Amino acid sequence: MKKAFIFDLDGVLCFTDKYHYEAWKTVADKLCIPFDESVNDRLRGVSRMESLEIILSLGDKTYSEEEKIKLAEEKNGVYRKLLENMTPSNVSDEVRRTLEELKSRGYKLAVGSSSKNTPLILEKCDLKKYFDAVSDGNNIKHSKPDPEVFLKAAEFLGLGSGDCYIVEDAEAGIDAGKAGGFTTIGIGCAARYEKTDICINTFKDILQTAV
Ligand code: BG6
Ligand code: MG
């Protein structure tokens, strides 16, 4: 029996993905690069700089390292302004009740997110109290699909990857989980991905896994 759940943040626990979309769109529009939901889906789970590279590859100009850093900072500035509007009401009762139920069943819970803004989001949404460990973009060198963020989360919990489920909405996150030897649970986009071990429709379906 597994001992823990490691949750992706954006698109799983809360819906910051719409803010990522809005912030990247501001940058892409300025550069006259086409940007829509299908491009945004390719950025799920991917680090800020790698996301920027994907967007720039859709245009025809080349950019210096300094220009890229400025563009990424600009995106993050817009994104953090949007995050300021977040409150605990941005996390559904379904998510909160499921996390509480998992804790009461004795599971350890962790966050495994590529985002460097994880601490701000957890604070704004009053989510930190549910988790025994947080591994995020601030403690890793390689972003998903590399397994580092999840392996670190398991290490922070004092567990091995065989003890933990990963809950993800991104294909890159499922690939990261599989590469690290975890059992993966996919929701949203990741529930339609052929490599996902367990596909769920809605967050509380996790409870059927954790019997
Ligand atoms: C992930 C998101 O959680 O974090 C990605 O799914 C995002 O879309 C990545 O690019 C990095 O986020 P941040 O907050 O460090 O720019
Ligand atoms: Mg995600």
Side-chain angles (χ1 to χ4, degrees), residues 8-12 44-45 144 168-170:
D8 174 51
L9 179 63
D10 294 317
V12 171
R44 286 177 194 277
K144 301 169 190 175
E168 260 292 346
D169 71 314

Side-chain angles (χ1 to χ4, degrees), residues 44-88:
R44 286 177 194 277
V46 176
S47 74
R48 195 180 307 161
M49 288 312 283
E50 285 163 327
S51 298
L52 177 65
E53 293 291 353
I54 291 172
I55 292 168
L56 296 183
S57 75
L58 302 172
D60 44 20
K61 289 202 197 101
T62 51
Y63 297 85
S64 68
E65 270 321 297
E66 295 88 83
E67 285 170 323
K68 287 181 191 172
I69 289 167
K70 259 190 105 185
L71 288 168
E73 278 170 359
E74 195 178 320
K75 182 265 173 177
N76 197 45
V78 176
Y79 180 58
R80 283 183 71 97
K81 263 215 179 88
L82 293 167
L83 291 181
E84 281 303 325
N85 299 322
M86 288 192 99
T87 68

Side-chain angles (χ1 to χ4, degrees), residues 2 15 20 49 62 64-65 68 72 107 116 122 134 147 149 151 157 170 175 185:
K2 305 274 185 209
F15 294 94
H20 279 296
M49 288 312 283
T62 51
S64 68
E65 270 321 297
K68 287 181 191 172
Y107 288 97
K116 294 187 170 164
L122 293 179
V134 175
V149 75
L151 291 172
L157 291 174
D175 290 341
I185 300 177

Side-chain angles (χ1 to χ4, degrees), residues 30-47:
K30 198 181 89 173
L31 303 175
C32 297
I33 293 176
F35 186 80
D36 59 17
E37 290 287 351
S38 70
V39 181
N40 196 52
D41 280 347
R42 291 175 57 196
L43 312 181
R44 286 177 194 277
V46 176
S47 74

Side-chain angles (χ1 to χ4, degrees), residues 104-176:
S104 75
R105 292 186 193 179
Y107 288 97
K108 295 262 180 228
L109 307 182
V111 173
S113 167
S114 304
S115 174
K116 294 187 170 164
N117 289 301
T118 297
L120 174 65
I121 298 166
L122 293 179
E123 190 215 305
K124 298 292 285 180
C125 295
D126 191 26
L127 270 174
K128 202 162 184 306
K129 61 189 180 194
Y130 301 105
F131 298 101
D132 303 289
V134 175
S135 172
D136 65 25
N138 300 296
N139 63 256
I140 54 168
K141 286 204 178 67
H142 307 286
S143 153
K144 301 169 190 175
D146 190 284
E148 185 180 5
V149 75
F150 293 139
L151 291 172
K152 276 273 169 229
E155 185 189 316
F156 293 159
L157 291 174
L159 297 172
S161 52
D163 296 319
C164 312
Y165 290 108
I166 297 297
V167 186
E168 260 292 346
D169 71 314
E171 293 188 3
I174 296 293
D175 290 341

